[in-house]
Amino acid sequence: MDGNARDEDKLENEFNNEAEGEHDDANKNKERGGELEMSVEQMFEGRQVPSWRNQLTMRALGVSFVLSVLFSFIVMKLNLTTGIIPSLNVSAGLLGFFFVKTWTKLLQKSGLLRQPFTRQENTVIQTCVVASSGIAFSGGFGSYLFGMSERIAKQSGDDGGFKNPSLGWIIGFLFVVSFLGLFSVVPLRKIMIIDFKLTYPSGTATAHLINSFHTPQGAKLAKKQVKTLGKFFSFSFLWGFFQWFFTSGEDCGFASFPTFGLEAYENRFYFDFSSTYVGVGMICPYIINISVLLGGILSWGLMWPLIEKREGDWYPAGLSPSNMHGIQGYKVFIAIAMILGDGLYNFVKVLIKTLTGLFYQFRGRQTLPIANQQSPDASDKLSYDDQRRTELFLKDRIPTWFSVAGYVTIASISTIVLPHIFHQLKWYYVLVIYIFAPTLAFCNAYGAGLTDWSLASTYGKLAIFTIGAWAGQNGGVLAGLIACGVMMNIVSTASDLMQDFKTGYLTLTSPRSMFVSQVIGTAMGCIVSPCVFWLFYKAFDDLGLPESRYPAPFATVYRNMSILGVQGFSSLPRECLMLCYGFFGAAILINSTKDMLGKKWGAFVPLPMAMAIPFYLGSYFAIDMCVGSLILFVWQKLNREKADAFSAAVASGLICGDGIWTLPSSILALFGVQPPICMKFLSRGANVRVDNFLTT
């Protein structure tokens, strides 16, 4: 789920609590004739800010590469299982700080340290890692790109063509589409960050986190957090290794344990002992976890059993469970209807906020709907920080001609290359996308600054329907999916870059070093992410199948969106269209109700997008996530201060350990090494056979 930086906010609150404590101490000192409280930049005033070239150190890039591989595995696993991806900025910042700090301490003790570790270098690492691992999401390995494969096409019952994954064309495709978003918004950095003073909540929270690491109090807390992360990383890795021993066949191991009984297990209600999704549940807000569980109960507990009773009436009897003209069609298309309804509502909402904000801004009024906007009579402390930050932010300019030339050059190369990789995508489709892309990238970056929501996937869906309908039956399905990828990469990297510029502004990191680290991180991602996906693809022959450990649900969803755009409603099973209308409208109604109730009561209204995910997958991961929420809830009740400080580290350890275990397990599977034991629990059919045997 893009967007909400709740995990960063928890650590930010910890930093703010420390700052409040320091503020109280300062007031006491003031009463005793001591010094006044210092602002953030006054605390760092005695430290020299390195030049932009010195911020890009080899050790920073080396650590970035290692962490990029780590986080690419984690994001890829999440992509191919449920598609729910929490923000991992805290983990990236924390691990980057830990690795470089450890290295510099060793060099300092040996007398070989030439350059101390600075917050600017920490920001460069953060930017590079997030840019690289972001390609694992925007590259479409669990959505549009894998949706082009023959495996997904067969599941969808579609003869609209396919293109099976290959390492060569995937890397080439990513290199020609992933850099355009960076060049499209660079000329607007001063307007967005300084003139409009957009908050970019995730970028701001990350900056506070990095600033706190480099204060004495923050360094102590970070050291404790890293130890906690390491403990739970080890536990999660060893737990994954232990579970592997019992999974030598289908439906084997702890993940197939019928926790709530066989009837519930057959309807995807069970706890699968996944430490990854327990950790995800600790990071995601409570309402997301509850929404996913409610969606699972509504679909697998109520709707699908009722629709299955209509077999032979609403759809032909005897179809395979994966046939899109049977029950599978209802699961996929109703989920699509909710996702589109949610996406359309939020697209319109953010667009209205964007246009309203721009209108007031250009009218010269200071009523821009931005959270925590400072009044003109700001304190001396704030004005000093702002002056210092603005001075350094404007010092290392990136020429506008460079941005325009870069965009035009890459767009020209891409327009020529893409039709050679995908013959269904005509050059004029690509040209039209690139003409409108900068405007959409600006809207997405501006909207993310106001709301912290990146609507990259919504813009991608818009491209699916537009280009798919334009191309028609002549390769329209693949053309729509490719257009989705082009658009998603542009608008996603644009908003990510602007978030990073905000982080750099608040940590006195040069825009040039931020841009270069983003380019390097993107280039890393264009190589690392395809290689990680290729390992999964080759190691697991059932990748993408509904009953697989890695079902890649959004690949099927995106493929069927493209089919819908080309074929229209004729591709839907009977009565499915009316149900889709109902759930599309329900998604809009739920969102509007949530907004009308305000923050206090609207926080209890479920999210349609989250509710739609288990429609296709089931509720097993929702139960894992709710267990994570329960752990966090109890922990906060027992010791809120400690929970706020260390919950993100615990969750990150659980996610990272299990995520890294996929590397050795994939390699073992690739070389045909099978687990020694199949721990299998009795199914309903096995129970019947046992009962018959005992009675006879």
Side-chain angles (χ1 to χ4, degrees), residues 113-177:
L113 182 63
R114 295 182 179 179
Q115 182 177 339
F117 182 41
T118 63
R119 55 183 175 145
Q120 290 79 23
E121 193 176 355
N122 206 157
T123 306
V124 165
I125 295 172
Q126 167 85 15
T127 301
C128 196
V129 173
V130 172
S132 179
S133 58
I135 298 293
F137 166 72
S138 62
F141 300 101
S143 55
Y144 65 85
L145 189 142
F146 191 42
M148 291 188 273
S149 66
E150 184 180 12
R151 195 174 299 172
I152 302 300
K154 285 181 178 178
Q155 283 185 59
S156 303
D158 170 44
D159 57 358
F162 60 86
K163 188 173 183 67
N164 282 322
S166 171
L167 202 56
W169 73 255
I170 293 175
I171 292 175
F173 166 72
L174 290 177
F175 264 105
V176 295
V177 301

Side-chain angles (χ1 to χ4, degrees), residues 37 61 87 178 203 252 259 266 304 337 395 425 500 520 584 618:
E37 177 197 8
L61 298 180
S87 176
S178 296
C252 295
T259 321
E266 289 175 0
W304 306 154
K395 180 182 176 184
L425 192 71
D500 291 334
I520 293 172
F584 181 88

Side-chain angles (χ1 to χ4, degrees), residues 95-355:
L95 290 172
F97 174 81
F98 168 70
F99 283 131
V100 180
K101 196 71 175 176
T102 303
W103 175 248
T104 53
K105 276 190 176 181
L106 291 173
L107 290 179
Q108 190 174 15
K109 287 180 180 178
S110 61
L112 299 174
L113 182 63
R114 295 182 179 179
Q115 182 177 339
F117 182 41
T118 63
R119 55 183 175 145
Q120 290 79 23
E121 193 176 355
N122 206 157
T123 306
V124 165
I125 295 172
Q126 167 85 15
T127 301
C128 196
V129 173
V130 172
S132 179
S133 58
I135 298 293
F137 166 72
S138 62
F141 300 101
S143 55
Y144 65 85
L145 189 142
F146 191 42
M148 291 188 273
S149 66
E150 184 180 12
R151 195 174 299 172
I152 302 300
K154 285 181 178 178
Q155 283 185 59
S156 303
D158 170 44
D159 57 358
F162 60 86
K163 188 173 183 67
N164 282 322
S166 171
L167 202 56
W169 73 255
I170 293 175
I171 292 175
F173 166 72
L174 290 177
F175 264 105
V176 295
V177 301
S178 296
F179 295 92
L180 279 158
L182 304 180
F183 289 94
S184 64
V185 293
V186 164
L188 304 174
R189 67 194 180 281
K190 178 181 177 293
I191 296 172
M192 304 283 236
I193 304 299
I194 296 175
D195 296 338
F196 288 0
K197 290 183 167 54
L198 297 177
T199 51
Y200 290 100
S202 290
T204 300
T206 303
H208 283 310
L209 184 72
I210 291 173
N211 282 334
S212 72
F213 285 164
H214 293 267
T215 61
Q217 297 88 349
K220 289 178 182 177
L221 177 62
K223 188 176 180 180
K224 294 177 182 177
Q225 289 168 338
V226 168
K227 285 183 178 179
T228 303
L229 189 151
K231 289 177 185 176
F232 283 89
F233 177 95
S234 303
F235 165 77
S236 182
F237 184 88
L238 293 173
W239 174 241
F241 180 50
F242 176 73
Q243 286 191 88
W244 175 80
F245 275 95
F246 304 96
T247 56
S248 67
E250 291 184 7
D251 299 325
C252 295
F254 289 92
S256 300
F257 180 66
T259 321
F260 307 112
L262 294 172
E263 183 74 26
Y265 178 79
E266 289 175 0
N267 285 284
R268 307 284 183 94
F269 285 93
Y270 57 93
F271 178 64
D272 74 343
F273 297 90
S274 169
S275 57
T276 292
Y277 283 100
V278 172
V280 170
M282 293 180 70
I283 289 178
C284 287
Y286 293 131
I287 191 59
I288 289 180
N289 301 331
I290 297 299
S291 299
V292 173
L293 184 60
L294 284 175
I297 293 171
L298 175 65
S299 55
W300 290 86
L302 182 64
M303 289 172 53
W304 306 154
L306 290 175
I307 292 175
E308 283 175 343
K309 291 180 179 179
R310 298 283 184 171
E311 185 178 5
D313 181 15
W314 284 14
Y315 60 92
L319 295 177
S320 68
S322 62
N323 193 305
M324 294 303 295
H325 296 287
I327 186 66
Q328 187 78 343
Y330 292 91
K331 295 176 183 178
V332 171
F333 286 111
I334 291 174
I336 288 173
M338 284 201 80
I339 291 169
L340 291 178
D342 183 271
L344 177 65
Y345 178 87
N346 285 294
F347 173 74
V348 172
K349 183 177 78 172
V350 173
L351 183 63
I352 290 172
K353 281 191 174 184
T354 300
L355 296 176

Side-chain angles (χ1 to χ4, degrees), residues 75-84 140-156 255 268 270 272 274 277 300 322 324 328 331-332 533 536-537 540-560 613-622 624 662:
V75 173
M76 194 67 68
K77 180 182 178 180
L78 295 171
N79 241 337
L80 297 175
T81 48
T82 64
I84 299 176
F141 300 101
S143 55
Y144 65 85
L145 189 142
F146 191 42
M148 291 188 273
S149 66
E150 184 180 12
R151 195 174 299 172
I152 302 300
K154 285 181 178 178
Q155 283 185 59
S156 303
R268 307 284 183 94
Y270 57 93
D272 74 343
S274 169
Y277 283 100
W300 290 86
S322 62
M324 294 303 295
Q328 187 78 343
K331 295 176 183 178
V332 171
F533 171 74
F536 277 89
Y537 185 69
F540 303 103
D541 294 332
D542 58 353
L543 181 73
L545 299 180
E547 303 301 325
S548 163
R549 195 190 321 172
Y550 301 105
F554 280 100
T556 304
V557 167
Y558 274 67
R559 176 91 190 191
N560 282 277
I613 295 170
F615 276 37
Y616 176 69
L617 282 176
S619 298
Y620 61 93
F621 67 94
D624 297 344
T662 59

Side-chain angles (χ1 to χ4, degrees), residues 367-432:
T367 54
L368 192 64
I370 303 172
N372 302 321
Q373 186 173 2
Q374 298 293 331
S375 59
D377 57 343
S379 64
D380 291 336
K381 176 186 73 175
L382 181 63
S383 64
Y384 173 81
D385 284 3
D386 276 353
Q387 288 172 12
R388 178 88 170 131
R389 290 163 178 168
T390 302
E391 177 190 353
L392 288 170
F393 190 75
L394 298 177
K395 180 182 176 184
D396 294 324
R397 295 179 179 273
I398 302 173
T400 302
W401 67 263
F402 174 77
S403 305
V404 174
Y407 186 87
V408 171
T409 302
I410 298 175
S412 302
I413 295 171
S414 182
T415 305
I416 296 169
V417 171
L418 283 178
H420 284 85
I421 301 176
F422 313 99
H423 66 271
Q424 297 88 351
L425 192 71
K426 307 302 181 185
W427 65 269
Y428 42 88
Y429 299 162
V430 184
L431 183 62
V432 168

Side-chain angles (χ1 to χ4, degrees), residues 438-450:
T439 303
L440 299 179
F442 166 75
C443 290
N444 193 46
Y446 189 94
L450 290 174

